[in-house]
Amino acid sequence: MDKANGAKSLSTSLQNLNLNSNSSVTFITHPQFKGLLFKKKKPASLVNLCIGVIGRHLEDIIEDLDEIAICLPGDIKITVAAIARRRKLLNDDVLIALADASWEILDVSGSDVSDFGLIKAAQVCRFIKALDISRCTKITATGISELVKHCHSLETLRCGGCPRSDNTARRCLSIFKPRLEYVEEDSWEELDTKEIASGAQSLRWLVWPKIDNNSLEDFSAECPRIVVNPKPSPFGFMGTQVPFEAFQNIILDDVVVKDIDPKTWTMHGIVAKKPISPPSSSSAELSVAEKFRLAFEERDNRLAPKRAKNARQHQRRAARDFLLMSTRAKAMVLASQVSKSLHS
């Protein structure tokens, strides 16, 4: 009886064996070893591994990013921008250097991007369909006003999350609502659409999780075409399918970094610093001198990668200046080149 059960289990395991899998380890279902055998995740591609290396050393190349980004395709640029945002390195210079005309989404949430960087990016990324400016304290209604003048395909706007971003969203109501300009025609039929309404005519979805009641009523009354915080539904909203960018619980640029190792933006520096453990509640209170010492050590560990970077840059500049200024160094370089040519 036991032999029959063993043969049956072996037969079931062989049937569940998938020989056409692309991964290095195959998932096998076995009743006696449940949970021990699993399917290994597909290895990362060479491109994603290279992007991970760029992301881990983004601080070292950020000064020359505008020159490096010229050779990168649009999909890699937006991935680098997403990594920079997660590493708290996304600002106006980085965004302008990476902006590409092929982008359809732009996530600058929680970054240091200001109106200047947003406007410059909008002049390049004219086909943006979804934008996330939540928790951006340096973006105002002025930047959004200029954005909608260049991006006529904008459908989804994500905002709010902090007091300044909430205030920006309230002031954007005057930008989004239709406005009748001064015209000389006598009838509505003679009016041009440009005279009836101003920018953001393509905007349909506004994601503002903590919108106040007054703002919600104002948007519903003044901009009925814009749906605030749409709910996921299999039937859509009034016959229109709600895009995934308009759902509240998603991160807009997650789709571009789904195949990148998360260590790319969680690892800072070559050696991970061990956090200083707080004293237990039973121990005596630390002295002022000890508190200063611990604070100094924490600050020193935090600034160590930056000091190493500055030292490397200073060394490279010194070597370059030496070659440019020293006559003897120039003569040695020329002599080495002549000797190589003679030997060849």
Side-chain angles (χ1 to χ4, degrees), residues 42-62:
K42 187 177 180 180
S45 65
L46 180 59
V47 174
N48 292 333
L49 292 175
C50 293
I51 295 175
V53 173
I54 294 175
R56 283 192 291 271
H57 300 278
L58 200 55
E59 297 94 336
D60 297 330
I61 65 173
I62 204 166

Side-chain angles (χ1 to χ4, degrees), residues 139-213:
I139 293 179
T140 64
T142 303
I144 300 300
S145 177
E146 293 295 323
L147 172 81
V148 298
K149 292 180 181 178
H150 297 92
C151 301
H152 301 289
S153 302
L154 184 64
E155 297 178 354
T156 305
L157 178 65
R158 306 173 65 89
C159 56
C162 68
R164 289 192 178 183
S165 187
D166 291 337
N167 184 47
T168 299
R170 294 187 191 95
R171 297 185 62 184
C172 286
L173 175 62
S174 60
I175 301 172
F176 299 148
K177 70 179 181 180
R179 182 173 68 248
L180 181 63
E181 306 290 357
Y182 177 76
V183 292
E184 298 179 355
E185 284 75 4
D186 296 330
S187 64
W188 286 94
E189 289 80 5
E190 298 177 357
L191 293 179
D192 188 7
T193 55
K194 295 182 180 179
E195 297 171 341
I196 297 177
S198 56
Q201 290 306 297
S202 61
L203 188 64
R204 292 294 179 269
W205 319 100
L206 179 66
V207 181
W208 186 0
K210 295 183 179 180
I211 185 173
D212 56 280
N213 294 331

Side-chain angles (χ1 to χ4, degrees), residues 12-313:
T12 305
S13 300
L14 292 175
Q15 291 177 1
N16 292 327
L17 180 63
N18 184 9
L19 298 177
N20 296 323
S21 176
N22 294 327
S23 57
S24 57
V25 177
T26 307
F27 179 80
I28 301 177
T29 304
H30 196 282
Q32 297 180 0
F33 304 101
K34 184 178 293 185
L36 295 180
L37 302 179
F38 58 92
K39 184 177 180 180
K40 188 177 180 180
K41 190 177 180 180
K42 187 177 180 180
S45 65
L46 180 59
V47 174
N48 292 333
L49 292 175
C50 293
I51 295 175
V53 173
I54 294 175
R56 283 192 291 271
H57 300 278
L58 200 55
E59 297 94 336
D60 297 330
I61 65 173
I62 204 166
E63 294 181 357
D64 303 318
L65 191 59
D66 53 346
E67 299 179 2
I68 298 174
I70 296 176
C71 305
L72 300 178
D75 55 341
I76 294 182
K77 288 181 181 179
I78 195 171
T79 305
V80 174
I83 295 174
R85 187 184 70 83
R86 285 161 171 77
R87 298 201 64 176
K88 305 299 181 184
L89 297 173
L90 186 60
N91 53 24
D92 291 344
D93 295 334
V94 175
L95 180 61
I96 295 172
L98 295 172
D100 191 85
S102 63
W103 290 3
E104 293 187 354
I105 63 171
L106 179 58
D107 192 340
V108 297
S109 58
S111 68
D112 292 330
V113 174
S114 66
D115 288 341
F116 176 77
L118 184 63
I119 294 171
K120 288 294 184 180
Q123 294 174 356
V124 178
C125 313
R126 293 178 174 267
F127 301 101
I128 292 294
K129 294 183 179 180
L131 171 67
D132 193 341
I133 60 167
S134 57
R135 306 184 311 281
C136 286
T137 59
K138 297 181 180 180
I139 293 179
T140 64
T142 303
I144 300 300
S145 177
E146 293 295 323
L147 172 81
V148 298
K149 292 180 181 178
H150 297 92
C151 301
H152 301 289
S153 302
L154 184 64
E155 297 178 354
T156 305
L157 178 65
R158 306 173 65 89
C159 56
C162 68
R164 289 192 178 183
S165 187
D166 291 337
N167 184 47
T168 299
R170 294 187 191 95
R171 297 185 62 184
C172 286
L173 175 62
S174 60
I175 301 172
F176 299 148
K177 70 179 181 180
R179 182 173 68 248
L180 181 63
E181 306 290 357
Y182 177 76
V183 292
E184 298 179 355
E185 284 75 4
D186 296 330
S187 64
W188 286 94
E189 289 80 5
E190 298 177 357
L191 293 179
D192 188 7
T193 55
K194 295 182 180 179
E195 297 171 341
I196 297 177
S198 56
Q201 290 306 297
S202 61
L203 188 64
R204 292 294 179 269
W205 319 100
L206 179 66
V207 181
W208 186 0
K210 295 183 179 180
I211 185 173
D212 56 280
N213 294 331
N214 293 333
S215 299
L216 181 60
E217 293 177 359
D218 292 341
F219 269 95
S220 301
E222 301 288 344
C223 302
R225 74 178 188 277
I226 299 177
V227 182
V228 181
N229 297 330
K231 302 293 189 298
S233 172
F235 305 103
F237 185 83
M238 299 182 64
T240 304
Q241 187 69 27
V242 181
F244 83 96
E245 297 93 347
F247 295 151
Q248 294 188 30
N249 297 326
I250 67 127
I251 300 175
L252 192 58
D253 59 1
D254 261 357
V255 65
V256 300
V257 295
K258 62 180 181 180
D259 296 326
I260 307 297
D261 188 359
K263 293 180 180 178
T264 301
W265 53 83
T266 56
M267 190 175 71
H268 301 278
I270 300 177
V271 180
K273 304 295 182 181
K274 294 183 179 180
I276 300 174
S277 57
S280 59
S281 57
S282 59
S283 61
E285 185 178 358
L286 294 177
S287 63
V288 176
E290 183 66 14
K291 290 180 180 179
F292 272 106
R293 188 186 67 81
L294 295 176
F296 177 79
E297 287 184 358
E298 183 180 0
R299 180 178 179 274
D300 185 69
N301 292 335
R302 188 174 66 253
L303 297 179
K306 187 174 182 180
R307 287 198 302 271
K309 172 191 169 184
N310 293 336
R312 292 194 300 269
Q313 291 180 349

